[in-house]
Amino acid sequence: MPSKEALRLFAPVLAATLMPLNSTMVAVAVPDISSDFGHDPALVTQALVTSYLVGAVVLQSPAGKIGDRIGHGRMIVLGQLFLGAGALLGFMAPALAWLILARILMAAGSAALVPSTLALMRQVLAPERRGRAYGTFGALMALSAAVGPLVGGELVRLFGWQSVFAANLPVLVVAVALGSLTGSFTGAAAAGRGAPSRFDWVGTVLLAAGLTALIVGLRPGAAHELVLLVLGGGLLLLFALWERRIADPVIAFSLFRSLHFSAGAVLISVQNLVMYTLIFQVPLLGVALFDLNAEDTGRLLLSLTLAMMITSPIAGRLTDHLGPRRIGVAGSLVALLGLADLALTDLTSSSQLVIPLALLGVGVGLTTPPAQSASMTAASTEAAGMAAGIGSTMRYLGGIIGVAVMSRVLDVHASRTEVISDHHVLLVFFAGALVVGLGCAALLPARPVHKDEVLAGRHTSRSV
């Protein structure tokens, strides 16, 4: 039987799953939006996808910090309000500029929901139940991302592109209703102690500007690419220097002194780098090498996403019983095995990709719950939102970097031999990332985290 805390958490988890859904669902609506507003599809794609991606990445760390200050229950409510307002605006938008604003509002709402949902898991669940909770959450997020194009395609076909935005509203209504029935977290106080200091707006602006410049500069075909990358790096360096001077920073770099937090966060980032890049790379290979259509490549990717969704909850339970290190190392080794199998295929048939992709999905599914559990448990309850925001930001940045590298290496318009050669170069890059991940997995806690807490004499707060 699910615990009372688990039932209460289902409402924010349901709302949080809209983040990956909205990330992938809008892609199928781009042609119709372009036609209605008279804009080039490439421009619409850049505007709607980039605005959402930038908003989701740059706002998660500040949102997690704000949740630590005002309470994550209140942050969940704010996230639902922003997401609902953006969805309603997108449904009624008379021009592309309003759609861009709608996507930014939706990204802001999602950025508030995800770190606070993870922080609530850290704060209200017993230590011996966190692994399975993180595993289930990861599976639901993967499922949401996977079904996005399918759901979006049906909605656009039946009701028009506006329904892609409107579809968020009934989900939010259900989440709010469930929260009312099971008991929300809004009545609880923030986890911090004493009167809060002034919020670090300077650090927030530096972080947001630096990440925005970095993300836009990494995108294929970006104008003034080198300037943006240097600017982004410089702003992030200033951000790091500023944060060391602030009593209550947006990101406390002292968190990275914890080996378990750093190992878990980096492991999630490199695993997402490989997984997210393959989600883009496999369809390109499918067209270039096998002349597959979108439906065929979607089925091919199911071997990756389904394996990850099935494995993740199981890995969470195993983490609670066996400890993060064993499960994280096992997952990293399985992912490397899948990558080796992918490298050995001669790519004469698309069916050769099914088993390697499934092994990679199993590897990622095994690895994410122990990494998430270890990194979140390494942070105090007062810093749970900050820790979740940092982890979510690093997860997205891993995927962004991977896709940027792929776009510069893989030339799908070249000959078959050259495409396969580019593919193998990317596999070497992936192998390096997974080896780094294996090293991080070996640094995770050996014992189940609840046993470490008891041995250390820690008393985990069950209040938010």
Side-chain angles (χ1 to χ4, degrees):
M1 280 289 292
S3 66
K4 179 182 178 182
E5 291 85 356
L7 291 173
R8 291 175 70 201
L9 281 167
F10 186 73
V13 166
L14 178 62
T17 57
L18 290 172
M19 184 179 200
L21 184 73
N22 285 311
S23 179
T24 59
M25 184 167 58
V26 75
V28 295
V30 166
D32 288 49
I33 294 172
S34 304
S35 176
D36 278 8
F37 292 143
H39 291 289
D40 183 79
L43 172 65
V44 174
T45 300
Q46 287 282 346
L48 298 187
V49 174
T50 303
S51 60
Y52 188 84
L53 179 65
V54 170
V57 174
V58 305
L59 295 176
Q60 288 198 70
S61 289
K65 178 64 180 180
I66 294 172
D68 287 334
R69 292 166 65 92
I70 70 172
H72 294 291
R74 295 185 181 95
M75 204 63 185
I76 293 291
V77 173
L78 286 175
Q80 291 171 336
L81 288 173
F82 272 92
L83 184 52
L88 187 60
L89 178 60
F91 175 70
M92 302 173 63
L96 181 60
W98 289 101
L99 272 185
I100 296 171
L101 178 58
R103 291 284 286 175
I104 293 172
L105 285 173
M106 294 170 75
S110 298
L113 284 165
V114 173
S116 284
T117 300
L118 289 168
L120 286 172
M121 291 180 185
R122 166 68 176 88
Q123 292 178 339
V124 307
L125 290 177
E128 64 271 16
R129 299 183 66 90
R130 289 180 199 150
R132 71 191 73 176
Y134 292 133
T136 302
F137 182 72
L140 290 173
M141 296 291 274
L143 174 63
S144 181
V147 303
L150 301 176
V151 172
E154 286 302 303
L155 287 173
V156 171
R157 183 177 68 84
L158 295 173
F159 307 109
W161 64 261
Q162 293 88 347
S163 61
V164 169
F165 293 88
N168 289 269
L169 299 174
V171 178
L172 288 173
V173 169
V174 171
V176 172
L178 284 173
S180 300
L181 290 173
T182 59
S184 69
F185 297 93
T186 54
R193 298 172 184 171
S197 57
R198 180 177 298 179
F199 184 72
D200 181 18
W201 290 109
V202 173
T204 299
V205 171
L206 286 172
L207 176 64
L211 287 175
T212 299
L214 199 63
I215 293 167
V216 175
L218 284 171
R219 292 188 67 81
H224 310 295
E225 175 184 343
L226 183 59
V227 174
L228 286 170
L229 292 176
V230 172
L231 176 63
L235 288 171
L236 291 178
L237 177 60
L238 286 175
F239 167 74
L241 295 173
W242 174 264
E243 293 298 276
R244 294 180 181 276
R245 300 175 48 194
I246 299 299
D248 191 19
V250 173
I251 292 180
F253 286 92
S254 58
L255 271 175
F256 290 96
R257 295 175 190 164
S258 166
L259 190 61
H260 295 161
F261 175 81
S262 298
V266 173
L267 177 53
I268 290 172
S269 181
V270 297
Q271 291 278 354
N272 198 61
L273 181 154
V274 175
M275 180 201 71
Y276 194 72
T277 308
L278 281 171
I279 288 176
F280 283 86
Q281 184 179 339
V282 168
L284 294 175
L285 291 175
V287 172
L289 301 179
F290 312 116
D291 198 27
L292 300 181
N293 57 33
E295 188 176 354
D296 292 332
T297 56
R299 292 198 192 99
L300 196 58
L301 283 172
L302 277 178
S303 59
L304 173 70
T305 53
L306 282 178
M308 184 169 53
M309 288 170 355
I310 293 170
T311 308
S312 190
I314 298 171
R317 289 181 175 271
L318 291 173
T319 298
D320 288 334
H321 291 289
L322 301 177
R325 183 182 299 171
R326 294 178 184 177
I327 309 306
V329 168
S332 298
L333 290 173
V334 172
L336 280 167
L337 178 63
L339 196 67
D341 191 13
L342 187 57
L344 292 173
T345 60
D346 58 9
L347 297 177
T348 56
S349 170
S350 62
S351 61
Q352 294 174 314
L353 300 176
V354 173
I355 292 178
L357 289 175
L359 286 171
L360 282 161
V362 169
V364 174
L366 282 173
T367 305
T368 302
Q372 191 84 69
S373 180
S375 62
M376 289 298 295
T377 302
S380 66
T381 55
E382 293 84 0
M386 182 194 300
I390 293 171
S392 295
T393 300
M394 290 182 66
R395 181 197 301 269
Y396 266 83
L397 284 178
I400 291 167
I401 292 170
V403 172
V405 171
M406 181 204 71
S407 66
R408 284 156 177 77
V409 172
L410 184 63
D411 182 6
V412 294
H413 300 295
S415 67
R416 176 183 178 84
T417 301
E418 290 173 323
V419 169
I420 293 176
S421 176
D422 292 344
H423 167 66
H424 285 146
V425 171
L426 286 171
L427 292 184
V428 173
F429 173 62
F430 294 157
L434 291 178
V435 168
V436 171
L438 177 60
C440 290
L443 298 175
L444 297 178
R447 290 183 295 268
V449 292
H450 61 279
K451 292 183 179 180
D452 278 343
E453 288 192 353
V454 171
L455 290 172
R458 293 171 58 184
H459 301 281
T460 304
S461 171
R462 300 288 181 86
S463 63
V464 185

